[in-house]
Amino acid sequence: MNNLYRTKLLQKQNRSYITGKLEMVDDLWLFIDDEFDEETDLEFYSGQEVEVNRNGEWHRGILQANGKVFTKYLTLSLEEQESIRIKKNLIFALEMLMDELNDDAFVQFISSLNSIDFSIYDCIFCHNHLSFLENRKIRQGVNFMTFDNGESVCAVQHHFTYYKKQRDRFEFTLSNGKRIMIEKFE
């Protein structure tokens, strides 16, 4: 598997974008979040991936500070009341953890999370113990993650042992009491 496959899997995740509308106030672009109706200076998101809705079609590009979006084929000038989606960033510790997982463990983790109606972008907490062990020959321990999809909460424990072979076990516990465990040996 290559990084392109991982990237595509992450792009297909639910709730990976913050959606809202644009307003121009005193020569300043504001982003108004649809979910919380909060205003944010759009310049805060400069340099990030966004999608602009034009004529019912989403155009992906990189937001520039000057109210423009550079897409693959053209440059869009933003318009007032236009709908845009801003790509969420993963929590840094979770992003590092995902990079550490081998391809099979990565796919199994994401697939299991999705099967219980959670997205990787629902993560509200991650303790990545693995990141503290990078110079050790034998790396073992537990990582802790918490996900909130707006309807329920899921706590995940990632038990790992990395030595001559890799062993990953993910234990998912939902707020309704449902539990799932997956294990990968290599």
Side-chain angles (χ1 to χ4, degrees), residues 1-36:
M1 180 185 314
N2 58 31
N3 283 338
L4 181 62
Y5 182 80
R6 284 182 178 229
T7 301
K8 286 186 185 249
L9 189 58
L10 291 175
Q11 285 177 342
K12 293 180 181 179
Q13 294 294 295
N14 290 329
R15 295 176 296 284
S16 62
Y17 287 91
I18 304 166
T19 305
K21 298 248 187 265
L22 295 174
E23 262 187 39
M24 175 68 87
V25 177
D26 298 326
D27 293 326
L28 180 70
W29 281 109
L30 295 177
F31 172 75
I32 295 125
D33 183 331
D34 285 345
E35 186 175 357
F36 300 110

Side-chain angles (χ1 to χ4, degrees), residues 45-59:
Y45 300 107
S46 186
Q48 285 188 235
E49 180 182 312
V50 298
E51 290 187 358
V52 179
N53 192 327
R54 290 273 165 93
N55 302 318
E57 189 176 323
W58 290 101
H59 300 274

Side-chain angles (χ1 to χ4, degrees), residues 22-23 29 52 54 67 77-84:
L22 295 174
E23 262 187 39
W29 281 109
V52 179
R54 290 273 165 93
S77 295
L78 297 175
E79 298 173 6
E80 196 153 357
Q81 293 304 311
E82 193 161 44
S83 291
I84 69 166

